[in-house]
């Protein structure tokens, strides 16, 4: 992954920094709390900026993820949503899907779980 160039990254509470100027992102461990989540070191500044956003969200905004990673995450989210929705179907609907439509929802749920567990 590479740092996105010329992007303003939101640090929270109206603070922004240009992506290419960030040299380090460090989670605050002591005295962490509302408005104090991450130290963001910026080129040309002696002291870090205190950001109210978590380090992983800042990093996600800083870097440009490969398209495959973004698509994979979206696909996993869709599978998780589908699995949750399938879990809400009652036995009658399941039997109708299987007997009338040839759709075995239990088999589909097992396959989705296998895919999600392997990632």
């Amino acid at each position: 992954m590479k740092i996105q160039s010329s992007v303003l990254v939101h640090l929270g509470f109206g603070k922004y920094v240009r992506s290419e100027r960030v040299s380090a992102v460090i989670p605050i461990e002591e005295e962490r709390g509302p408005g104090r989540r991450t130290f963001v070191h910026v080129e040309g500044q002696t002291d870090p900026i205190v950001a109210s956003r978590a380090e992983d969200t800042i990093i996600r905004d800083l870097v440009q993820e490969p398209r495959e990673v973004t698509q994979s995450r979206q696909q996993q989210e869709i599978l998780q949503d589908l699995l949750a929705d399938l879990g809400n179907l009652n036995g009658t609907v399941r039997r109708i899907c299987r007997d009338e439509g040839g759709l075995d929802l239990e088999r589909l749920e097992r396959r989705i779980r296998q895919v999600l567990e392997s990632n």
Side-chain angles (χ1 to χ4, degrees), residues 9-116:
V9 177
H10 184 239
L11 303 179
F13 293 118
K15 297 177 187 175
Y16 292 85
V17 66
R18 291 185 71 83
S19 55
E20 65 271 6
R21 294 193 56 220
V22 174
S23 58
V25 177
I26 302 170
I28 295 174
E29 296 186 13
E30 294 179 18
E31 299 180 36
R32 182 177 174 133
R36 291 187 52 84
R37 301 244 189 272
T38 309
F39 289 124
V40 179
H41 292 268
V42 178
E43 291 176 7
Q45 292 188 9
T46 312
D47 297 323
I49 296 173
V50 177
S52 64
R53 298 178 71 212
E55 64 279 357
D56 59 335
T57 57
I58 293 170
I59 290 172
R60 216 177 8 247
D61 289 350
L62 280 171
V63 299
Q64 182 176 357
E65 283 186 324
R67 182 181 166 120
E68 298 82 19
V69 172
T70 304
Q71 287 177 336
S72 175
R73 184 180 313 110
Q74 290 170 341
Q75 291 165 354
Q76 286 183 343
E77 289 172 3
I78 290 169
L79 286 174
Q80 289 169 343
D81 290 346
L82 180 58
L83 189 60
D85 289 344
L86 288 171
N88 293 327
L89 293 176
N90 67 38
T92 303
V93 173
R94 289 173 177 274
R95 279 191 300 281
I96 292 170
C97 288
R98 184 189 61 235
D99 297 344
E100 300 295 323
L103 179 61
D104 185 347
L105 296 177
E106 283 79 17
R107 182 175 153 271
L108 182 59
E109 286 175 307
R110 282 192 305 274
R111 291 189 65 202
I112 291 171
R113 280 192 194 92
Q114 288 172 346
V115 169
L116 290 174

